[in-house]
Amino acid sequence: MRDRDSELRLADVLVKTTDTLTDDFDLDRYLEWLADRCTELVDARGVGVMYTGGDDAVRIVPCGRQRAVVRGLLEIQYLGGPCVESFGSGQPVPPTRICPEGAGARWPRFAERAGEQGVEETYAVPIRRGGTVLGVLNVFLAAADGRGGVPSELGLRIAQTLANAAATGLHNHRTHSAYRVLSEQLQTALDSRIHVEQAKGVLAERWQTGMDEAFEALRGYARREQQVIDLVATQVVRGKIDEEELRRGRSAPS
C-alpha cells in the first residue's frame, strides 16, 4: 500500500510540475515548490536548484530541513561541484560519497564544506529541454536520510523524472510568455496604426489636402516636439493640439 501511495503522490506531483500556463505563475515560487517536492519524494536532507532564466542570471533556490546549509553548498559550487558539472555536461551526476576518494577528489572545496555540514552523499540531475540545460536539481543526503526506504539510485531516477517534467513546464511557460509578448506588441502596433490613420483623415478633411501631406504634418510635429507619433495622432483626434503648431513647417498642398 505504501508503494502504491508513493506512486500516486509522484504522479500527482508530475502533473502539477507541468502546469505552468497560469497568469499568476511565479518562477521563484515554482522553483522552491519543485525543490520541496523533490526533497519529499527522495527523502533527502535538502535539495537545491540552480536555474538560468535565459537572462544570464543564475537563480539559487535552497529547500529542505536546512536551507541555509543547502544555500552554502550551492554557492560554493562556483568553485566546482555536482551542479556545475551537470550544467556543463547536460548529464546526471550519479550518487557520490563525500569522502577523499569520492567527492573530495572531484570537488575538494565543495566536499570539505559538505563534510562539515554532515552531508554524506550527493547527486545532481539536469533540468534539460532538448539540448538546452535550463537548470540542475542537486540532492544532499546525510546519515539519517534514506531511512524511509528510498535508495540513492532510485532517488536519482525520481529526481530526473521530476526534472524532466519541470523542463517541459518551464519550456511551455517560456513559449507561452513569448507569444503573449508578441501578441501585445502586435496589438500595440495595430492600435498605433489606427490612431495615425484616424488623425490623417481628420487633418486631410480639415485642410482639404491629401493624406500624404497630413502625415508629413503629423511626423514633422512629432519630430519637433520629440514625441511618439502615436501620441500625437491621439491628441489630434481629441482636438488637443493647436492646428497652427501642426501647420508650422508643413509644405504647400500638392
Side-chain angles (χ1 to χ4, degrees):
M1 179 64 71
R2 181 176 180 180
D3 289 343
R4 183 63 173 169
D5 290 342
S6 298
E7 291 173 359
L8 290 173
R9 175 58 176 157
L10 176 58
D12 180 61
V13 170
L14 291 176
V15 170
K16 292 179 179 177
T17 301
T18 57
D19 184 17
T20 57
L21 303 184
T22 57
D23 292 336
D24 61 345
F25 179 82
D26 181 271
L27 178 59
D28 291 327
R29 190 168 63 238
Y30 174 83
L31 294 176
E32 184 174 353
W33 177 88
L34 175 68
D36 272 335
R37 297 292 75 72
C38 186
T39 301
E40 170 194 324
L41 290 169
V42 304
D43 194 24
R45 174 65 55 87
V47 173
V49 181
M50 274 191 181
Y51 180 80
T52 174
D55 53 2
D56 296 328
V58 178
R59 285 177 167 84
I60 291 180
V61 180
C63 285
R65 296 191 288 274
Q66 297 182 349
R67 292 178 183 241
V69 170
V70 174
R71 177 175 291 279
L73 291 172
L74 292 174
E75 290 175 345
I76 202 170
Q77 290 190 53
Y78 289 115
L79 301 173
C83 269
V84 175
E85 187 170 310
S86 186
F87 249 122
S89 68
Q91 299 298 320
V93 173
T96 305
R97 300 289 295 176
I98 305 298
C99 58
E101 64 273 16
R106 297 167 70 173
W107 323 294
R109 294 291 298 277
F110 165 77
E112 180 182 1
R113 175 71 64 84
E116 292 172 351
Q117 300 299 335
V119 175
E120 292 197 353
E121 192 173 29
T122 185
Y123 53 85
V125 295
I127 303 172
R128 185 183 62 209
R129 177 70 179 181
T132 303
V133 178
L134 306 175
V136 174
L137 277 173
N138 195 177
V139 177
F140 304 101
L141 300 169
D145 299 325
R147 291 179 181 174
V150 182
S152 297
E153 290 297 335
L154 176 58
L156 178 72
R157 292 171 59 190
I158 292 174
Q160 186 63 77
T161 300
L162 187 58
N164 292 343
T168 299
L170 291 167
H171 172 76
N172 290 344
H173 174 70
R174 285 187 178 185
T175 303
H176 177 66
S177 297
Y179 277 122
R180 286 187 62 179
V181 170
L182 178 60
S183 176
E184 290 170 0
Q185 290 174 340
L186 290 174
Q187 186 61 54
T188 299
L190 177 61
D191 291 343
S192 177
R193 182 62 181 269
I194 291 174
H195 295 159
V196 171
E197 292 300 318
Q198 288 176 334
K200 285 165 58 178
V202 168
L203 293 180
E205 182 179 2
R206 287 177 184 172
W207 297 346
Q208 295 298 301
T209 187
M211 298 289 278
D212 290 342
E213 287 84 351
F215 177 71
E216 287 300 322
L218 286 172
R219 184 167 63 178
Y221 181 88
R223 287 176 176 175
R224 291 195 306 273
E225 300 298 322
Q226 296 183 341
Q227 293 183 15
V228 178
I229 195 169
D230 177 40
L231 177 60
V232 173
T234 301
Q235 291 175 330
V236 167
V237 172
R238 294 177 178 175
K240 296 192 175 185
I241 293 182
D242 185 359
E243 288 197 25
E244 290 303 318
E245 288 296 320
L246 282 169
R247 291 175 182 273
R248 185 161 58 90
R250 183 172 68 91
S251 59
S254 59

